[in-house]
Amino acid sequence: MDEAATRATKVIRLAGAPPHLAEDAITEILLRLPAKSVIRFRAVSTAWRRIATDPHFLAAHARLRPADVLFYTYLEPRRIRHARSSVVEMIALDTLPVSSDDASQRRRLISYSSKYPRKRGSCLLLSSCNGVLLFKDDKGSYILCNPVTRQWAELPWLAHGNRGTGFREYAFYFHQPSSEYRLWCKRDWFISGTWDVLCTGATEPRQVDFHGEAVRTITDLVVTTPVDLHGRLHWPPHRAPGTDKMEIVMLETLSEMFRTMAGPPISTTTRPINLFDMEGQLVVADLGEMYCINLWFLEDYDAGRWECRHRVATPWQNQWNLLRVVMMGDGEGNIILGHQNCLLKHDKRSKTLSMVNSVDTPQHNVKLSRHVFRENLVQHPYFHTRSSNDLRLIHLW
């Protein structure tokens, strides 16, 4: 619990009975509390429950929740001895507020089973969006889980079957007008521009046809989590075909059209490049230099004007591993850089780099993910409350 939430809890304890607080004051206090505390305080009285379950309150609470780093804790593995042995690992998903180095704030969301090589009894985390985790199980089913509300949903089965390796997942996002979670998939070997869009509440995938250079570029990119900003999904920059300029491919989530915008003036694309959102602003991390990261901020979104604000010295010679781990802002102007087993914070004032020690533990093998988690108490349509036993591989905490 952060400092504001701690103060809010003290106010509630000092106030005594619920009538001592005005409704507006109760609302402001509850908005600053983590989801677990909000759920607990619903039991104070009927009035408190009405406030804490109001859809407008839940939406406002979700907007105010800080971002947490999502990382894997590999629990004790065991080996199954068959004709072809495989390693079964229990993986726990833990979160830590990026603005804190207090180990007591670590929270376990969920645990699931994973096998190597991937066989029956295996599960894979694909993405995190708006408080919902997207998994793919051993049968190829896409499972959505909100660990805060303890609700689940399943996406439609792909027309050609999810089990094969021909499909790749490119974008998972929340579609605000329809309150749907959507996943965009594509067959790698399809020559056409046909995409399968899987939506919560739908009984079958919806196919969308796109053609053009922007679409071909998307399928050539390393599969990364796109940045959702201003109603558009943004993929990392690449060199525009036939030019020396960089461009960013975008997907308009309302019109479902692919477009491009100008990227930063980076000289080459042979270097690793990452893209993230910092307080509503796109930031490109140029990882091409050893022991250094150049951070380009999009100063003018409409004009496509970029500025290199920071040059961050890092202890890493090989920067390619940074493509698949977290990189984000912490809400206070600081920048969080993840590199497999460690997490660093770049202080914007002192321009120094410090290690977030509370991520690592001596008991378990910990690895950072590329995902960010924000608590969300909103009850979405098409989600149902189900027992972890019904899902076999995924267990809530």
Side-chain angles (χ1 to χ4, degrees), residues 34-237:
K36 186 176 181 179
S37 298
V38 172
I39 294 173
R40 185 170 67 250
F41 284 123
R42 286 174 180 173
V44 170
S45 69
T46 303
W48 282 52
R49 181 173 182 81
R50 175 176 50 80
I51 294 171
T53 56
D54 182 81
H56 297 290
F57 168 85
L58 297 178
H61 183 269
R63 288 193 298 269
L64 292 174
R65 294 314 299 151
D68 291 343
V69 176
L70 190 61
F71 57 96
Y72 309 102
T73 299
Y74 291 84
L75 307 179
E76 291 297 328
R78 61 187 180 93
R79 183 169 293 278
I80 308 296
R81 298 187 180 276
H82 293 296
R84 292 183 178 180
S85 61
S86 60
V87 175
V88 180
E89 288 186 311
M90 285 302 297
I91 302 177
L93 293 179
D94 295 341
T95 64
L96 180 75
V98 298
S99 57
S100 172
D101 195 17
D102 183 1
S104 65
Q105 295 195 38
R106 287 183 55 167
R107 186 165 65 91
R108 182 148 297 172
L109 293 179
I110 211 167
S111 64
Y112 61 96
S113 174
S114 182
K115 278 190 179 181
Y116 299 96
R118 196 159 177 244
K119 299 179 180 179
R120 291 185 58 187
S122 132
C123 196
L124 178 67
L125 175 66
L126 297 179
S127 188
S128 171
C129 171
N130 204 35
V132 171
L133 304 174
L134 172 65
F135 292 91
K136 188 174 184 179
D137 71 6
D138 56 339
K139 295 183 178 179
S141 299
Y142 294 109
I143 302 172
L144 279 61
C145 168
N146 185 332
V148 175
T149 62
R150 307 178 75 85
Q151 287 188 312
W152 308 80
E154 289 191 45
L155 295 176
W157 189 266
L158 282 170
H160 302 284
N162 299 25
R163 186 185 292 261
T165 58
F167 280 99
R168 296 173 70 186
E169 301 85 9
Y170 283 89
F172 175 61
Y173 64 97
F174 178 68
H175 187 253
Q176 189 73 39
S178 63
S179 296
E180 295 176 346
Y181 284 89
R182 296 182 177 180
L183 175 66
W184 283 58
C185 302
K186 193 176 189 300
R187 274 191 183 272
D188 292 345
W189 46 268
F190 265 16
I191 299 176
S192 66
T194 301
W195 294 70
D196 286 282
V197 184
L198 284 63
C199 307
T200 49
T203 57
E204 59 184 23
R206 174 169 54 88
Q207 291 193 337
V208 181
D209 289 328
F210 288 115
H211 302 275
E213 199 64 44
V215 178
R216 287 193 291 271
T217 300
I218 284 291
T219 58
D220 291 338
L221 289 175
V222 176
V223 180
T224 58
T225 302
V227 176
D228 189 350
L229 187 65
H230 305 317
R232 304 180 180 99
L233 301 180
H234 306 76
W235 278 268

